[in-house]
Amino acid sequence: MAGLVLAAGGGRRLGGRPKALLGFRGRSLVEHAVEALHAGGCARVHVVVGAAAEEVGARARLLECAVVPNPDWETGMGSSLRVGLASLEGTGATAVLVSLVDQPGIGAPAVARLLAAHRAGAELAAAAYRGRRGHPVLIAAGHWADVAAGARGDRGAREFLRSHQDRLTLVECADVATPNDIDTPGDLLLLESPSWGGGGDDGSVPR
């Protein structure tokens, strides 16, 4: 099973600061996201970069994953998802776990739960937070082409999952993860809080 980090955004609402390079617990958000996928059980991790791609490549330690450039990153998340899925073709991965770089409260424990759901037979699965669907999202390889076909603008797999709700397994993760996005300058305070976030590298449960 593979992991895919969507990290191409330019952080427009953050004054143009690429989210991938924001600091969190002594490293960048993209490094944290990659480690969460590896520690949770993903054998292969691909990272889609776009805004400040050269800077991300130079400053972030991404030695154990494939860095995939998205020249069309400004068109929205959909293009990053398409590029990321295309990069996994031919790797032998049976499924991909898609995570967003700006959700550092999601760590290895949530990743492990979703991978376990796939091993138990789920072809489509999503983390849930008190019953509400969120990220990460797991997509079996047989669905990649259809997901990519519907990924346009800022719509990633949302419409596909909505139209396949009867086949979607929700995996409750509220006890081990926090799904907050880092979108605005006010959200940056969350990154500085030592008590914020769940499912950290030590597998701890948030209090």
Side-chain angles (χ1 to χ4, degrees):
M1 287 177 272
L4 178 63
V5 182
L6 302 185
R12 178 176 53 84
R13 286 187 286 175
L14 291 169
R17 298 173 61 185
K19 294 181 181 181
L21 292 176
L22 294 176
F24 179 65
R25 295 179 180 172
R27 56 185 165 176
S28 65
L29 286 188
V30 69
E31 290 169 336
H32 173 82
V34 168
E35 173 59 24
L37 291 174
H38 276 310
C42 291
R44 171 189 297 272
V45 175
H46 288 203
V47 180
V48 179
V49 298
E54 291 186 6
E55 185 180 3
V56 173
R59 292 177 52 189
R61 292 180 58 84
L62 302 174
L63 301 179
E64 297 184 4
C65 59
V67 178
V68 183
N70 175 16
D72 298 321
W73 65 270
E74 290 183 283
T75 64
M77 185 193 304
S79 64
S80 289
L81 181 56
R82 293 197 308 273
V83 167
L85 292 176
S87 74
L88 288 165
E89 293 291 346
T91 63
T94 61
V96 62
L97 188 67
V98 182
S99 69
L100 307 181
V101 76
D102 65 351
Q103 294 186 326
I106 297 173
V111 171
R113 287 188 183 181
L114 285 159
L115 298 188
H118 178 59
R119 287 192 292 270
E123 293 191 357
L124 299 170
Y129 301 90
R130 295 177 177 83
R132 184 174 180 178
R133 176 170 61 83
H135 287 87
V137 172
L138 183 139
I139 306 167
H143 297 291
W144 293 355
D146 290 337
V147 170
R152 294 290 183 273
D154 281 323
R155 295 177 302 178
R158 184 187 314 162
E159 296 302 323
F160 178 85
L161 295 177
R162 184 174 297 158
S163 64
H164 291 76
Q165 289 188 41
D166 58 330
R167 302 175 64 180
L168 179 66
T169 298
L170 293 181
V171 180
E172 185 58 50
C173 291
D175 60 321
V176 296
T178 306
N180 303 66
D181 298 317
I182 305 300
D183 284 330
T184 68
D187 295 334
L188 295 176
L189 295 176
L190 293 173
L191 298 177
E192 300 170 3
S193 172
S195 61
W196 178 76
D201 295 334
D202 60 356
S204 60
V205 176
R207 303 299 181 189

